[in-house]
Amino acid sequence: MADTTAAGHAYVRSEMLPEKAPPVSEDGVIGWMKKNLFSNWFNTLLTFIALYILWIIFPPLIQFGIIDAVWSDPDGVKRAVCTNEEQGGLQPSGWFGACWPYVAANMKLFIYGRYPASELWRVDLTYFLFFATLIPLLIPSVPFKKLNGFLFLVAFPVAAFVLLAGGTEAGSASTYYTLAVLAALGLVLAFALAPSRDVSLRSSVARVGLAIVTALVVWAVLGLGTYSINELLALAGSGGTRNTWFGAIQWWLYPAIGAGIGIAAAFTTNSADTKGLAETLAPLFVVLAGICIAVAVLMLVTSIDYGLTHVETNVWGGLLVTLVIAVTGIVASLPLGVLLALGRRSKMPAVKLLSVVFIEFWRGVPLITVLFMSSVMLPLFLPAGTEFDKLLRALIGVALFTAAYMAEVIRGGIQALPKGQYEGAMALGLTYWQMMRMIILPQALTLVIPGIVNSFISLFKDTTLVLIIGLFDFLGQMQSTFTNPEWASPVQSLTGYLFAALIFWAFCFSMSRYSIFVERRLDTGHKS
């Protein structure tokens, strides 16, 4: 500021004063506490109540888990190192602290379960591949996201299955025949989705697709219904003997009925709706093609002898089972939830009804009932001699159960979008699936990130329920060690549960913090 001289002005400042630091009461830790903890009498009261609760919980926990805890067992006396003198141990009378040598001694059991010791390298390699493909996928700055996503979602599950389950006997001729049929059907459906400007070609593809889908649905419904009745009659009246005519009608009569109904449905469809029919059936083609190809790949993978010792899933346990169930449920439930959410909002009555029935059914039963039914009741409806792995049953039940809840979370995000988003997408001439893929779903999923992660966290903790069907997850494997007399002590179970709580908290807290990071990164600045 320049010097100024004028009548009536005794003094004019020629430069600005230096900036001063804000008052201590408005900045720093004191300012934050004043604004957030002691802004009024009610917040002050709540602050003191919270401090009192923390004082009640954390000091005894720190005393038990750290200060008074036993950290090592140098002499290998096991139980004696964690019991006091009155109980025949080494600790002084009145001692009460965590027994961490017990956790260290059983750490392999907690992580691997009863997996053969000579094959533990396979589990370690699976863990390494999991984190090696997941971490770059979660870091936004790492390039090649599509390749990374393919490795994590496609290549890693196949590699993990081969490593964990091991080799099998060479497949039979019927196995390879079925594999070839499934692969061919999947490839035909995939090529049928190739974009074409020929309306008549798209109409033909739509009609063929409708015939195939209708035939498969009719075959599945009739076959499942007849087989269920046959099984129930066998169990009720003939001592478990099944009627031999079921196989004949299953492979000859039902396919013929299904094909007839499918062809009739295709040729009676109004030709004016063929374009819309093709667009509507396109996602169904994708799903069906993907299922066929996935089943073919799975059959191929399981029919090759890799030279690895086969390890039954009933000896898997610990953190391995927890992560297998949680990761499979998370990866499978999200796309299923998206499809169910779209189906529930569909204008097609049949699709909407099926989606509503599926969602309300799975939301109406507790997960523990789903696991029990999948373990006990499902084998009753399978052909004689058919073995359905118990872990696979649990994976399917958990994925379907979580998908129902995920569908409602995603549907809430879709309904939260303003109508103008749909109108703008339609004004651009986008089809329904283009609008959903490029406009609606990206915004809807961003809005419901907290709800999605909340479902993932709930699923991770619900994996402890698989103990009811004989699968020993992390917590179940830990509980199985409580009967070991070598480490029996008054603090054994308390130490085990404290360690389990820390492990579960670490995983759940990590998911929560990452969801907050994603929310902030995707924040568009439109929050009020």
Side-chain angles (χ1 to χ4, degrees):
M1 183 179 293
D3 293 336
T4 303
T5 304
H9 290 78
Y11 174 75
V12 176
R13 186 179 300 278
S14 60
E15 58 182 15
M16 299 296 292
L17 290 176
E19 292 184 358
K20 293 184 178 181
V24 178
S25 60
E26 299 295 333
D27 191 30
V29 177
I30 296 177
W32 181 88
M33 294 176 61
K34 181 179 178 181
K35 293 177 182 178
N36 296 277
L37 302 179
F38 304 102
S39 58
N40 54 52
W41 70 267
F42 184 70
N43 286 345
T44 302
L45 178 62
L46 292 179
T47 298
F48 282 113
I49 293 175
L51 290 175
Y52 178 70
I53 295 175
L54 294 176
W55 176 257
I56 294 176
I57 296 175
F58 281 98
L61 192 61
I62 294 173
Q63 187 77 22
F64 173 80
I66 299 177
I67 299 176
D68 291 340
V70 176
W71 294 93
S72 62
D73 181 21
D75 299 327
V77 294
K78 297 184 178 179
R79 175 185 178 276
V81 78
C82 294
T83 51
N84 57 38
E85 296 173 350
E86 297 176 356
Q87 299 163 341
L90 304 179
Q91 302 299 325
S93 300
W95 168 85
F96 190 80
C99 183
W100 296 117
Y102 149 73
V103 174
N106 293 277
M107 186 61 71
K108 285 188 176 180
L109 192 63
F110 297 158
I111 296 177
Y112 306 105
R114 293 183 292 113
Y115 207 89
S118 60
E119 306 294 329
L120 291 183
W121 65 269
R122 290 155 55 177
V123 183
D124 294 334
L125 182 57
T126 303
Y127 283 145
F128 171 78
L129 293 176
F130 172 71
F131 289 107
T133 54
L134 176 63
I135 293 177
L137 192 63
L138 298 179
I139 301 176
S141 59
V142 176
F144 308 109
K145 280 290 183 287
K146 291 184 179 180
L147 175 61
N148 201 168
F150 173 81
L151 293 176
F152 180 74
L153 298 176
V154 179
F156 168 72
V158 175
F161 177 81
V162 172
L163 285 172
L164 295 177
T168 58
E169 296 181 358
S172 61
S174 61
T175 299
Y176 292 110
Y177 172 77
T178 307
L179 186 154
V181 171
L182 288 173
L185 179 59
L187 291 175
V188 168
L189 290 173
F191 282 118
L193 296 172
S196 174
R197 298 180 180 273
D198 190 346
V199 177
S200 61
L201 177 60
R202 292 182 63 84
S203 174
S204 301
V205 169
R207 292 180 185 278
V208 173
L210 179 61
I212 293 175
V213 171
T214 305
L216 291 176
V217 170
V218 171
W219 185 10
V221 171
L222 292 178
L224 181 61
T226 303
Y227 187 77
S228 301
I229 295 174
N230 192 28
E231 285 293 312
L232 292 176
L233 291 176
L235 292 174
S238 58
T241 303
R242 298 170 176 82
N243 295 324
T244 57
W245 49 263
F246 171 72
I249 65 174
Q250 181 185 19
W251 296 108
W252 297 100
L253 179 59
Y254 288 164
I257 296 175
I261 296 177
I263 293 173
F267 280 97
T268 55
T269 303
N270 188 351
S271 59
D273 297 331
T274 52
K275 183 178 180 181
L277 181 62
E279 294 176 352
T280 302
L281 290 178
L284 191 57
F285 283 10
V286 173
V287 173
L288 189 59
I291 291 175
C292 292
I293 295 175
V295 172
V297 171
L298 182 61
M299 293 181 64
L300 177 62
V301 169
T302 56
S303 62
I304 298 176
D305 186 3
Y306 296 94
L308 298 174
T309 304
H310 181 60
V311 180
E312 298 289 343
T313 57
N314 57 5
V315 300
W316 298 11
L319 190 62
L320 172 63
V321 169
T322 297
L323 290 179
V324 167
I325 296 176
V327 173
T328 304
I330 289 172
V331 173
S333 64
L334 185 57
L336 284 176
V338 171
L339 293 177
L340 289 170
L342 296 178
R344 186 158 190 170
R345 289 177 52 83
S346 174
K347 295 181 180 179
M348 293 183 285
V351 175
K352 183 174 183 179
L353 177 62
L354 290 175
S355 300
V356 170
V357 170
F358 181 93
I359 292 171
E360 297 304 328
F361 171 78
W362 289 96
R363 292 176 67 207
V365 294
L367 180 57
I368 194 171
T369 304
V370 174
L371 295 173
F372 178 78
M373 294 294 290
S374 66
S375 176
V376 178
M377 297 300 296
L378 183 61
L380 300 178
F381 297 94
L382 296 176
T386 302
E387 296 183 1
F388 199 6
D389 189 80
K390 186 183 297 184
L391 179 59
L392 180 59
R393 288 180 245 162
L395 294 176
I396 295 174
V398 168
L400 296 179
F401 181 85
T402 308
Y405 284 89
M406 190 67 63
E408 290 299 280
V409 172
I410 296 172
R411 185 170 70 93
I414 295 175
Q415 293 181 170
L417 295 180
K419 188 177 180 180
Q421 296 293 323
Y422 297 87
E423 295 174 345
M426 289 185 289
L428 293 174
L430 300 179
T431 64
Y432 174 81
W433 292 104
Q434 288 175 333
M435 174 176 65
M436 287 297 165
R437 180 171 59 87
M438 295 186 290
I439 305 296
I440 304 302
L441 286 179
Q443 298 182 75
L445 295 177
T446 301
L447 289 175
V448 295
I449 287 176
I452 292 175
V453 177
N454 183 64
S455 298
F456 290 165
I457 292 174
S458 178
L459 168 62
F460 188 84
K461 292 186 291 187
D462 285 342
T463 56
T464 56
L465 296 176
V466 298
L467 182 62
I468 193 175
I469 61 174
L471 295 176
F472 287 85
D473 69 308
F474 179 72
L475 185 61
Q477 199 72 68
M478 177 172 292
Q479 289 177 327
S480 68
T481 64
F482 292 166
T483 58
N484 184 2
E486 293 183 347
W487 287 100
S489 69
V491 296
Q492 182 186 22
S493 61
L494 293 176
T495 304
Y497 285 130
L498 176 59
F499 179 69
L502 292 175
I503 295 298
F504 276 95
W505 178 84
F507 278 97
C508 296
F509 183 73
S510 299
M511 286 189 281
S512 176
R513 297 305 302 177
Y514 184 76
S515 72
I516 294 175
F517 165 74
V518 173
E519 283 184 76
R520 291 175 178 172
R521 182 176 178 83
L522 299 179
D523 185 11
T524 57
H526 294 298
K527 295 180 179 180
S528 56

